Amino acid sequence: MNVGDNMTGSPGIVPEGLTRLLELANNLWWSWKPDARRLFETIDPTLWDLTHHNPVKLLHDLKPDRLIALALDPAFVRQYSAVLKAYDEYLTAQGTWFATRYPELSDKKIAYFSAEFGLHNSIPIYGGGLGILAGDHCKEASDLGIPLVGLGFMYPQGYFRQRVSPEGWQEAEYTPFDRSESPIHQALTPSGAPCRITVDIGERIVHVLVWQVRVGRVILYLMDTDIQENAPSDRELSARLYGGDQEVRLCQEILLGIGGVRVIRALGLAPAVWHVNEGHSAFLTLERIRQLVQDGRPFPEAMELVRQTTVFTTHTPVPAGHDVFPYYLMDRYFGQYWDLLGLSREEFIQLGEHPTVPSAGFNMTALALRMSAHLNGVSREHGRVSRAMWHCLWPNVPEDQVPIRSVTNGVHAPTWIASEMNELYSKYLGPDWAERSDDSAIWHRVTDIPDTELWAVRRTLKRRLMRLIRERARAAWIEGRIGPSQVLAEGTLLDPEALTIGFARRFATYKRATLLFTAIHRLKHVLHDRWRPVQIVFAGKAHPADEPGRQFIHQVYNFCRDQGLGGHLAFLEDYDMHMAKYLVWGVDVWLNTPRPPMEASGTSGQKAAINGVPNLSVLDGWWQEGYDGSNGWAIPVSTELTDPHAQDAHDADCLYRILEQDIVPLYYTRDRDGIPRGWIQVVKDAIRTITPRFCARRMVKEYMEVTYAPAASWRPPV
């Protein structure tokens, strides 16, 4: 036997023939490879479920006798060897899409900066869609062979755990997660030393320790200030995602942008392209300019070099979603910095000034837009809205020529596909469907899937969701976390045969989670039909400081507790990636009701669609370009209504009418075999039309073609 190495999360002793289990567990490649997931599940199916599919914790908690027995099991050893062979072939493959398509850029790295990354529930450093998008971006870059590295924060306390009180109020719990049970390890410099950097923040020096996570071929680097060298307040800077007041937020963004560049340099990396994913990391442009000015370049030349090699993705059409810092804080924290750029205070401030509201403060989106030559929104509609919103930065060009294009978000299909749907696709589309997920031609084969097989899989996935809901409620009851009135709200009375609608997302008020309750009498009529019952499952968090969002959760939760509606409504607390998968697999319809045009893109509905769950959504974000009249249902946008209450009434009426006249009758119209043929046709149309257009493979290829390749190929004029 070999003693396990000193990697975080390794068990003490692993049998000789299985030593690379540790390596497999510590590279998130396993999380989107079905054979690798089955390998870990085979080790101990019960412990696999109890650890929420976390192989590092599984191996950490496993009894040594079990590994010894598996090492002597020829069937398991063959399974292990096959997975290991696939893993090695993946990491060493020479003929990736990137290597074939862009051989001239083989030595050009891309640095991808984001405040959050949603990779797996064992690494809770994400809060919502921005992080999940960043995680999917990294996974697809790995699959395509794109030489990308990620940069973000460690967040020892992660995002908050959500608890709902008996009265229906969201309560936030912050508990440190155990790195020994996650695939996180110290990052090393080229000399082999632990990677550490320092950042001047105001009048103090903050020390940063760097960790890393392997995501297939991609490495994600995470900054951590929770180390002894720092003062207690500075140790808290990277403690929580989106925590603290405005001053703390500014300090975090200094760390992410300026500190992030220093981390990249300390690691010996020289990216050709720098991707600013939302404005949180925009200070990286200033740090890159500072280094060039220090090397002797004049500011205009340094700024142009940085601009041409920077990609900026804006994610929000909501004005309040853009970080704006008061000038007194900028003076406090950048008073010495603008001299290093060769700028006066006025020149520095102008870099982040909003032209129409200059007194508002230093706008991080304005800074990123000025400092990046490659700009994009995250859906076609969001690109249009962003061009209108930021036309003021290009006042001399027509609005439709403002240089903000769009790259519509997509989802990493192998991560979000249910195993049963994967088997169905492998059988009828081909075993390589995931590698061709952006090829529309293969998705036409969805029509070849027998209705009976697809319907059987969809019913299986719904039963699996219902089982998860009941088990979660049972565990919460046993642990004393919920009382009698909450058992009803947690979904214990849901019917595994009823038409089930899912609404799961961040509880920001513009997403209008309460729109369904506009006319209770109509909702009750839909829910309580004895022969055609309907039920709705809610999940999602509101930011702890978002009081209106917490009010929405309170309202929804109390409807779920109401016996007049009870048994047909449920609110699932502590929404995370693990729960999200069961929801996008198991519901029948995915509901989305944002107030247009505030939905930049949204991706949860894309995850649902690839699993055969049609969307019912307002025509905003990605659905505005995804809906074709037959692949789901659309709530039309009324351009005449400007009053929010009138708009809500209009949209609610459309929502009820679609449910009453279209969705419910179609779902319950069955043939003599009990198959809803018309419904299955909508399911097939959703899969066929949405998957190739809204998968991360298409998205990341598009980023490569329209932003990364031009930025990497740019040369300054002679």
Side-chain angles (χ1 to χ4, degrees), residues 622-672:
W622 77 275
W623 191 233
Q624 194 262 2
E625 62 198 88
Y627 175 64
D628 70 359
S630 65
N631 59 359
W633 299 272
I635 299 170
V637 175
S638 176
T639 55
E640 293 81 22
L641 297 175
T642 56
D643 175 64
H645 297 293
Q647 187 181 58
D648 289 351
H650 166 271
D651 292 355
D653 180 66
C654 291
L655 172 57
Y656 294 134
R657 190 170 64 251
I658 292 169
L659 287 172
E660 294 161 348
Q661 299 178 10
D662 299 329
I663 293 178
V664 175
L666 188 65
Y667 184 82
Y668 283 105
T669 300
R670 313 286 171 90
D671 65 10
R672 64 180 59 189

Short mmCIF file of all heavy atoms in Angstrom, two decimals, residues 622-672:
data_model
loop_
_atom_site.label_atom_id
_atom_site.label_comp_id
_atom_site.label_asym_id
_atom_site.label_seq_id
_atom_site.Cartn_x
_atom_site.Cartn_y
_atom_site.Cartn_z
N TRP A 622 -32.54 35.22 -23.35
CA TRP A 622 -32.26 34.24 -24.40
C TRP A 622 -33.53 33.72 -25.06
O TRP A 622 -33.52 33.34 -26.24
CB TRP A 622 -31.45 33.07 -23.85
CG TRP A 622 -32.29 32.10 -23.04
CD1 TRP A 622 -32.59 32.20 -21.72
CD2 TRP A 622 -32.92 30.91 -23.51
NE1 TRP A 622 -33.39 31.14 -21.33
CE2 TRP A 622 -33.60 30.33 -22.42
CE3 TRP A 622 -32.99 30.27 -24.75
CZ2 TRP A 622 -34.33 29.16 -22.52
CZ3 TRP A 622 -33.72 29.09 -24.86
CH2 TRP A 622 -34.38 28.55 -23.75
N TRP A 623 -34.66 33.69 -24.32
CA TRP A 623 -35.90 33.13 -24.85
C TRP A 623 -36.44 33.98 -26.00
O TRP A 623 -37.14 33.47 -26.88
CB TRP A 623 -36.92 33.00 -23.74
CG TRP A 623 -38.16 32.22 -24.07
CD1 TRP A 623 -39.46 32.64 -23.92
CD2 TRP A 623 -38.25 30.88 -24.58
NE1 TRP A 623 -40.35 31.66 -24.30
CE2 TRP A 623 -39.62 30.56 -24.72
CE3 TRP A 623 -37.31 29.93 -24.95
CZ2 TRP A 623 -40.07 29.34 -25.20
CZ3 TRP A 623 -37.75 28.70 -25.43
CH2 TRP A 623 -39.11 28.41 -25.55
N GLN A 624 -36.06 35.26 -26.01
CA GLN A 624 -36.53 36.13 -27.09
C GLN A 624 -36.01 35.63 -28.44
O GLN A 624 -36.70 35.78 -29.46
CB GLN A 624 -36.06 37.57 -26.82
CG GLN A 624 -36.74 38.62 -27.65
CD GLN A 624 -35.92 39.03 -28.87
OE1 GLN A 624 -34.84 38.49 -29.11
NE2 GLN A 624 -36.44 39.96 -29.62
N GLU A 625 -34.82 35.02 -28.45
CA GLU A 625 -34.30 34.47 -29.71
C GLU A 625 -34.44 32.95 -29.78
O GLU A 625 -34.24 32.36 -30.85
CB GLU A 625 -32.82 34.85 -29.88
CG GLU A 625 -31.90 34.30 -28.81
CD GLU A 625 -30.55 35.02 -28.75
OE1 GLU A 625 -30.45 36.05 -28.04
OE2 GLU A 625 -29.62 34.54 -29.42
N GLY A 626 -34.80 32.32 -28.67
CA GLY A 626 -34.91 30.86 -28.66
C GLY A 626 -36.29 30.35 -29.01
O GLY A 626 -36.44 29.25 -29.56
N TYR A 627 -37.32 31.11 -28.70
CA TYR A 627 -38.71 30.67 -28.93
C TYR A 627 -39.04 30.71 -30.41
O TYR A 627 -38.77 31.69 -31.10
CB TYR A 627 -39.66 31.58 -28.15
CG TYR A 627 -41.12 31.31 -28.40
CD1 TYR A 627 -41.70 30.10 -28.02
CD2 TYR A 627 -41.93 32.27 -29.01
CE1 TYR A 627 -43.05 29.86 -28.25
CE2 TYR A 627 -43.29 32.04 -29.23
CZ TYR A 627 -43.83 30.83 -28.84
OH TYR A 627 -45.16 30.58 -29.06
N ASP A 628 -39.63 29.61 -30.92
CA ASP A 628 -39.97 29.57 -32.34
C ASP A 628 -41.45 29.28 -32.60
O ASP A 628 -41.86 29.07 -33.74
CB ASP A 628 -39.10 28.55 -33.08
CG ASP A 628 -39.42 27.10 -32.72
OD1 ASP A 628 -40.32 26.86 -31.88
OD2 ASP A 628 -38.77 26.20 -33.28
N GLY A 629 -42.26 29.26 -31.53
CA GLY A 629 -43.69 29.02 -31.70
C GLY A 629 -44.12 27.60 -31.45
O GLY A 629 -45.31 27.34 -31.22
N SER A 630 -43.17 26.65 -31.48
CA SER A 630 -43.54 25.24 -31.27
C SER A 630 -42.72 24.56 -30.19
O SER A 630 -43.01 23.42 -29.82
CB SER A 630 -43.38 24.46 -32.58
OG SER A 630 -42.02 24.43 -32.99
N ASN A 631 -41.68 25.23 -29.68
CA ASN A 631 -40.76 24.58 -28.74
C ASN A 631 -40.98 25.01 -27.28
O ASN A 631 -40.11 24.84 -26.44
CB ASN A 631 -39.31 24.84 -29.14
CG ASN A 631 -38.95 26.32 -29.18
OD1 ASN A 631 -39.79 27.18 -28.93
ND2 ASN A 631 -37.70 26.61 -29.49
N GLY A 632 -42.14 25.55 -26.99
CA GLY A 632 -42.47 26.01 -25.65
C GLY A 632 -43.57 27.04 -25.75
O GLY A 632 -44.32 27.07 -26.74
N TRP A 633 -43.66 27.92 -24.76
CA TRP A 633 -44.72 28.93 -24.74
C TRP A 633 -44.14 30.28 -24.34
O TRP A 633 -43.21 30.35 -23.51
CB TRP A 633 -45.82 28.52 -23.76
CG TRP A 633 -46.45 27.22 -24.16
CD1 TRP A 633 -47.50 27.03 -25.01
CD2 TRP A 633 -46.02 25.91 -23.75
NE1 TRP A 633 -47.77 25.70 -25.14
CE2 TRP A 633 -46.88 24.98 -24.38
CE3 TRP A 633 -45.01 25.42 -22.91
CZ2 TRP A 633 -46.76 23.61 -24.22
CZ3 TRP A 633 -44.87 24.06 -22.74
CH2 TRP A 633 -45.75 23.16 -23.39
N ALA A 634 -44.68 31.34 -24.90
CA ALA A 634 -44.14 32.68 -24.67
C ALA A 634 -45.21 33.62 -24.14
O ALA A 634 -46.34 33.64 -24.63
CB ALA A 634 -43.57 33.23 -25.97
N ILE A 635 -44.82 34.39 -23.13
CA ILE A 635 -45.65 35.49 -22.64
C ILE A 635 -45.19 36.73 -23.40
O ILE A 635 -44.05 37.18 -23.23
CB ILE A 635 -45.47 35.68 -21.13
CG1 ILE A 635 -45.90 34.42 -20.38
CG2 ILE A 635 -46.24 36.90 -20.64
CD1 ILE A 635 -45.54 34.42 -18.91
N PRO A 636 -46.02 37.28 -24.28
CA PRO A 636 -45.58 38.39 -25.13
C PRO A 636 -45.31 39.65 -24.32
O PRO A 636 -45.93 39.89 -23.28
CB PRO A 636 -46.74 38.59 -26.11
CG PRO A 636 -47.93 38.07 -25.37
CD PRO A 636 -47.44 36.93 -24.52
N VAL A 637 -44.39 40.46 -24.81
CA VAL A 637 -44.07 41.75 -24.19
C VAL A 637 -45.00 42.81 -24.75
O VAL A 637 -45.14 42.96 -25.97
CB VAL A 637 -42.60 42.13 -24.45
CG1 VAL A 637 -42.31 43.53 -23.89
CG2 VAL A 637 -41.66 41.10 -23.84
N SER A 638 -45.66 43.53 -23.86
CA SER A 638 -46.54 44.62 -24.29
C SER A 638 -45.77 45.93 -24.27
O SER A 638 -45.41 46.44 -23.22
CB SER A 638 -47.76 44.71 -23.36
OG SER A 638 -48.57 45.81 -23.71
N THR A 639 -45.50 46.46 -25.46
CA THR A 639 -44.70 47.69 -25.56
C THR A 639 -45.50 48.93 -25.19
O THR A 639 -44.93 49.98 -24.92
CB THR A 639 -44.16 47.84 -26.99
OG1 THR A 639 -45.26 47.79 -27.92
CG2 THR A 639 -43.18 46.73 -27.33
N GLU A 640 -46.85 48.81 -25.18
CA GLU A 640 -47.66 49.99 -24.87
C GLU A 640 -47.74 50.26 -23.37
O GLU A 640 -47.98 51.40 -22.95
CB GLU A 640 -49.09 49.82 -25.41
CG GLU A 640 -49.20 49.79 -26.93
CD GLU A 640 -48.86 48.42 -27.50
OE1 GLU A 640 -48.96 47.43 -26.73
OE2 GLU A 640 -48.48 48.33 -28.67
N LEU A 641 -47.58 49.23 -22.55
CA LEU A 641 -47.77 49.38 -21.11
C LEU A 641 -46.47 49.85 -20.46
O LEU A 641 -45.42 49.21 -20.58
CB LEU A 641 -48.21 48.05 -20.50
CG LEU A 641 -49.56 47.49 -20.98
CD1 LEU A 641 -49.81 46.12 -20.39
CD2 LEU A 641 -50.68 48.45 -20.60
N THR A 642 -46.53 50.97 -19.77
CA THR A 642 -45.36 51.50 -19.07
C THR A 642 -45.52 51.42 -17.56
O THR A 642 -44.53 51.43 -16.83
CB THR A 642 -45.10 52.96 -19.48
OG1 THR A 642 -46.27 53.73 -19.22
CG2 THR A 642 -44.74 53.04 -20.95
N ASP A 643 -46.76 51.34 -17.08
CA ASP A 643 -47.00 51.23 -15.65
C ASP A 643 -46.71 49.79 -15.20
O ASP A 643 -47.28 48.84 -15.76
CB ASP A 643 -48.45 51.58 -15.33
CG ASP A 643 -48.77 51.36 -13.85
OD1 ASP A 643 -48.18 52.07 -13.02
OD2 ASP A 643 -49.59 50.47 -13.55
N PRO A 644 -45.85 49.60 -14.20
CA PRO A 644 -45.49 48.25 -13.78
C PRO A 644 -46.68 47.41 -13.35
O PRO A 644 -46.73 46.20 -13.64
CB PRO A 644 -44.53 48.49 -12.60
CG PRO A 644 -43.97 49.84 -12.84
CD PRO A 644 -45.06 50.62 -13.48
N HIS A 645 -47.66 48.01 -12.67
CA HIS A 645 -48.83 47.25 -12.21
C HIS A 645 -49.67 46.78 -13.40
O HIS A 645 -50.16 45.64 -13.41
CB HIS A 645 -49.67 48.10 -11.26
CG HIS A 645 -48.95 48.48 -10.00
ND1 HIS A 645 -48.59 47.54 -9.05
CD2 HIS A 645 -48.50 49.68 -9.54
CE1 HIS A 645 -47.96 48.15 -8.06
NE2 HIS A 645 -47.89 49.45 -8.33
N ALA A 646 -49.80 47.64 -14.39
CA ALA A 646 -50.55 47.25 -15.58
C ALA A 646 -49.80 46.15 -16.34
O ALA A 646 -50.42 45.21 -16.87
CB ALA A 646 -50.77 48.46 -16.48
N GLN A 647 -48.49 46.29 -16.38
CA GLN A 647 -47.68 45.26 -17.04
C GLN A 647 -47.82 43.92 -16.33
O GLN A 647 -47.97 42.87 -16.96
CB GLN A 647 -46.22 45.70 -17.09
CG GLN A 647 -45.32 44.78 -17.91
CD GLN A 647 -43.88 45.24 -17.89
OE1 GLN A 647 -43.27 45.37 -16.83
NE2 GLN A 647 -43.32 45.51 -19.07
N ASP A 648 -47.79 43.95 -15.00
CA ASP A 648 -47.95 42.71 -14.23
C ASP A 648 -49.30 42.07 -14.50
O ASP A 648 -49.41 40.85 -14.67
CB ASP A 648 -47.80 43.00 -12.74
CG ASP A 648 -46.37 43.32 -12.33
OD1 ASP A 648 -45.47 43.16 -13.18
OD2 ASP A 648 -46.16 43.74 -11.18
N ALA A 649 -50.35 42.89 -14.53
CA ALA A 649 -51.70 42.36 -14.77
C ALA A 649 -51.79 41.73 -16.16
O ALA A 649 -52.38 40.65 -16.34
CB ALA A 649 -52.73 43.47 -14.62
N HIS A 650 -51.21 42.39 -17.14
CA HIS A 650 -51.20 41.87 -18.51
C HIS A 650 -50.47 40.53 -18.58
O HIS A 650 -50.96 39.55 -19.15
CB HIS A 650 -50.55 42.88 -19.45
CG HIS A 650 -50.20 42.33 -20.81
ND1 HIS A 650 -48.97 41.72 -21.07
CD2 HIS A 650 -50.90 42.29 -21.97
CE1 HIS A 650 -48.96 41.32 -22.32
NE2 HIS A 650 -50.11 41.66 -22.90
N ASP A 651 -49.26 40.49 -17.98
CA ASP A 651 -48.44 39.27 -18.06
C ASP A 651 -49.08 38.13 -17.28
O ASP A 651 -49.02 36.97 -17.70
CB ASP A 651 -47.04 39.56 -17.55
CG ASP A 651 -46.26 40.51 -18.45
OD1 ASP A 651 -46.79 40.86 -19.52
OD2 ASP A 651 -45.14 40.90 -18.09
N ALA A 652 -49.68 38.45 -16.13
CA ALA A 652 -50.35 37.41 -15.35
C ALA A 652 -51.53 36.83 -16.12
O ALA A 652 -51.74 35.60 -16.13
CB ALA A 652 -50.81 37.96 -14.00
N ASP A 653 -52.29 37.69 -16.78
CA ASP A 653 -53.43 37.21 -17.56
C ASP A 653 -52.96 36.28 -18.69
O ASP A 653 -53.56 35.22 -18.93
CB ASP A 653 -54.20 38.39 -18.15
CG ASP A 653 -55.39 37.95 -18.97
OD1 ASP A 653 -56.33 37.38 -18.40
OD2 ASP A 653 -55.35 38.16 -20.20
N CYS A 654 -51.88 36.67 -19.36
CA CYS A 654 -51.31 35.81 -20.41
C CYS A 654 -50.85 34.48 -19.83
O CYS A 654 -51.07 33.41 -20.43
CB CYS A 654 -50.16 36.51 -21.10
SG CYS A 654 -50.62 37.93 -22.11
N LEU A 655 -50.21 34.53 -18.67
CA LEU A 655 -49.70 33.33 -18.02
C LEU A 655 -50.85 32.37 -17.70
O LEU A 655 -50.79 31.17 -18.03
CB LEU A 655 -48.95 33.72 -16.74
CG LEU A 655 -48.49 32.61 -15.80
CD1 LEU A 655 -47.60 31.61 -16.52
CD2 LEU A 655 -47.74 33.21 -14.61
N TYR A 656 -51.89 32.87 -17.06
CA TYR A 656 -53.03 32.01 -16.72
C TYR A 656 -53.67 31.43 -17.99
O TYR A 656 -54.03 30.25 -18.04
CB TYR A 656 -54.08 32.79 -15.94
CG TYR A 656 -53.64 33.24 -14.57
CD1 TYR A 656 -53.88 34.55 -14.15
CD2 TYR A 656 -52.98 32.37 -13.69
CE1 TYR A 656 -53.48 34.98 -12.89
CE2 TYR A 656 -52.58 32.79 -12.44
CZ TYR A 656 -52.83 34.10 -12.04
OH TYR A 656 -52.43 34.52 -10.80
N ARG A 657 -53.83 32.28 -19.00
CA ARG A 657 -54.50 31.83 -20.22
C ARG A 657 -53.70 30.72 -20.91
O ARG A 657 -54.28 29.73 -21.39
CB ARG A 657 -54.70 33.01 -21.17
CG ARG A 657 -55.61 32.68 -22.36
CD ARG A 657 -55.98 33.92 -23.16
NE ARG A 657 -54.81 34.54 -23.79
CZ ARG A 657 -54.30 35.70 -23.40
NH1 ARG A 657 -54.82 36.37 -22.38
NH2 ARG A 657 -53.25 36.20 -24.03
N ILE A 658 -52.37 30.85 -20.94
CA ILE A 658 -51.53 29.81 -21.55
C ILE A 658 -51.64 28.51 -20.78
O ILE A 658 -51.73 27.41 -21.36
CB ILE A 658 -50.06 30.29 -21.64
CG1 ILE A 658 -49.94 31.44 -22.64
CG2 ILE A 658 -49.14 29.14 -22.05
CD1 ILE A 658 -48.60 32.14 -22.61
N LEU A 659 -51.65 28.62 -19.45
CA LEU A 659 -51.80 27.41 -18.63
C LEU A 659 -53.16 26.76 -18.87
O LEU A 659 -53.25 25.54 -19.08
CB LEU A 659 -51.63 27.75 -17.15
CG LEU A 659 -50.22 28.07 -16.65
CD1 LEU A 659 -50.26 28.58 -15.22
CD2 LEU A 659 -49.32 26.84 -16.75
N GLU A 660 -54.20 27.57 -18.83
CA GLU A 660 -55.57 27.04 -18.93
C GLU A 660 -55.89 26.46 -20.30
O GLU A 660 -56.51 25.38 -20.41
CB GLU A 660 -56.58 28.16 -18.61
CG GLU A 660 -56.53 28.66 -17.18
CD GLU A 660 -57.18 30.03 -17.02
OE1 GLU A 660 -57.47 30.69 -18.04
OE2 GLU A 660 -57.39 30.45 -15.87
N GLN A 661 -55.45 27.15 -21.35
CA GLN A 661 -55.88 26.79 -22.70
C GLN A 661 -54.88 25.94 -23.46
O GLN A 661 -55.28 25.19 -24.38
CB GLN A 661 -56.18 28.06 -23.50
CG GLN A 661 -57.29 28.92 -22.91
CD GLN A 661 -57.52 30.20 -23.70
OE1 GLN A 661 -56.98 30.39 -24.79
NE2 GLN A 661 -58.32 31.10 -23.14
N ASP A 662 -53.60 26.04 -23.12
CA ASP A 662 -52.58 25.34 -23.91
C ASP A 662 -51.87 24.23 -23.13
O ASP A 662 -51.93 23.06 -23.51
CB ASP A 662 -51.54 26.35 -24.42
CG ASP A 662 -52.14 27.41 -25.32
OD1 ASP A 662 -53.13 27.09 -26.01
OD2 ASP A 662 -51.63 28.54 -25.32
N ILE A 663 -51.21 24.61 -22.04
CA ILE A 663 -50.31 23.67 -21.39
C ILE A 663 -51.05 22.53 -20.71
O ILE A 663 -50.77 21.35 -20.96
CB ILE A 663 -49.41 24.43 -20.38
CG1 ILE A 663 -48.45 25.35 -21.15
CG2 ILE A 663 -48.64 23.45 -19.51
CD1 ILE A 663 -47.54 26.18 -20.27
N VAL A 664 -52.00 22.86 -19.84
CA VAL A 664 -52.69 21.80 -19.08
C VAL A 664 -53.44 20.85 -20.01
O VAL A 664 -53.29 19.62 -19.89
CB VAL A 664 -53.61 22.42 -18.01
CG1 VAL A 664 -54.41 21.31 -17.31
CG2 VAL A 664 -52.79 23.21 -16.99
N PRO A 665 -54.25 21.33 -20.95
CA PRO A 665 -54.94 20.39 -21.84
C PRO A 665 -53.99 19.51 -22.64
O PRO A 665 -54.24 18.31 -22.81
CB PRO A 665 -55.76 21.31 -22.77
CG PRO A 665 -55.93 22.57 -22.00
CD PRO A 665 -54.68 22.72 -21.21
N LEU A 666 -52.88 20.09 -23.14
CA LEU A 666 -51.94 19.32 -23.95
C LEU A 666 -51.28 18.22 -23.12
O LEU A 666 -51.12 17.09 -23.59
CB LEU A 666 -50.88 20.26 -24.54
CG LEU A 666 -49.93 19.62 -25.58
CD1 LEU A 666 -50.70 19.20 -26.82
CD2 LEU A 666 -48.82 20.62 -25.95
N TYR A 667 -50.90 18.55 -21.89
CA TYR A 667 -50.23 17.57 -21.04
C TYR A 667 -51.14 16.38 -20.72
O TYR A 667 -50.68 15.23 -20.65
CB TYR A 667 -49.75 18.24 -19.75
CG TYR A 667 -48.96 17.33 -18.84
CD1 TYR A 667 -47.60 17.11 -19.05
CD2 TYR A 667 -49.56 16.69 -17.76
CE1 TYR A 667 -46.87 16.28 -18.22
CE2 TYR A 667 -48.84 15.85 -16.92
CZ TYR A 667 -47.49 15.65 -17.16
OH TYR A 667 -46.77 14.81 -16.33
N TYR A 668 -52.40 16.65 -20.52
CA TYR A 668 -53.32 15.60 -20.08
C TYR A 668 -54.10 14.94 -21.22
O TYR A 668 -54.95 14.09 -20.98
CB TYR A 668 -54.28 16.14 -19.03
CG TYR A 668 -53.62 16.27 -17.67
CD1 TYR A 668 -53.25 17.52 -17.17
CD2 TYR A 668 -53.34 15.15 -16.90
CE1 TYR A 668 -52.64 17.65 -15.93
CE2 TYR A 668 -52.72 15.26 -15.66
CZ TYR A 668 -52.37 16.50 -15.18
OH TYR A 668 -51.77 16.61 -13.95
N THR A 669 -53.79 15.29 -22.44
CA THR A 669 -54.41 14.62 -23.58
C THR A 669 -53.56 13.40 -23.93
O THR A 669 -52.46 13.53 -24.48
CB THR A 669 -54.53 15.55 -24.79
OG1 THR A 669 -55.33 16.69 -24.44
CG2 THR A 669 -55.17 14.83 -25.97
N ARG A 670 -54.07 12.21 -23.56
CA ARG A 670 -53.30 10.97 -23.72
C ARG A 670 -53.98 10.05 -24.74
O ARG A 670 -55.20 10.06 -24.89
CB ARG A 670 -53.19 10.23 -22.38
CG ARG A 670 -52.77 11.11 -21.18
CD ARG A 670 -51.31 11.49 -21.22
NE ARG A 670 -50.96 12.49 -20.22
CZ ARG A 670 -50.55 12.20 -18.97
NH1 ARG A 670 -50.49 10.95 -18.56
NH2 ARG A 670 -50.23 13.18 -18.15
N ASP A 671 -53.18 9.22 -25.41
CA ASP A 671 -53.76 8.20 -26.28
C ASP A 671 -54.08 6.95 -25.47
O ASP A 671 -53.93 6.93 -24.24
CB ASP A 671 -52.84 7.89 -27.46
CG ASP A 671 -51.51 7.25 -27.03
OD1 ASP A 671 -51.38 6.87 -25.84
OD2 ASP A 671 -50.61 7.12 -27.88
N ARG A 672 -54.51 5.90 -26.13
CA ARG A 672 -54.92 4.70 -25.39
C ARG A 672 -53.76 4.02 -24.67
O ARG A 672 -53.97 3.20 -23.78
CB ARG A 672 -55.60 3.71 -26.34
CG ARG A 672 -54.71 3.15 -27.44
CD ARG A 672 -55.50 2.18 -28.32
NE ARG A 672 -56.64 2.85 -28.94
CZ ARG A 672 -57.58 2.20 -29.61
NH1 ARG A 672 -57.54 0.89 -29.72
NH2 ARG A 672 -58.58 2.87 -30.16
#
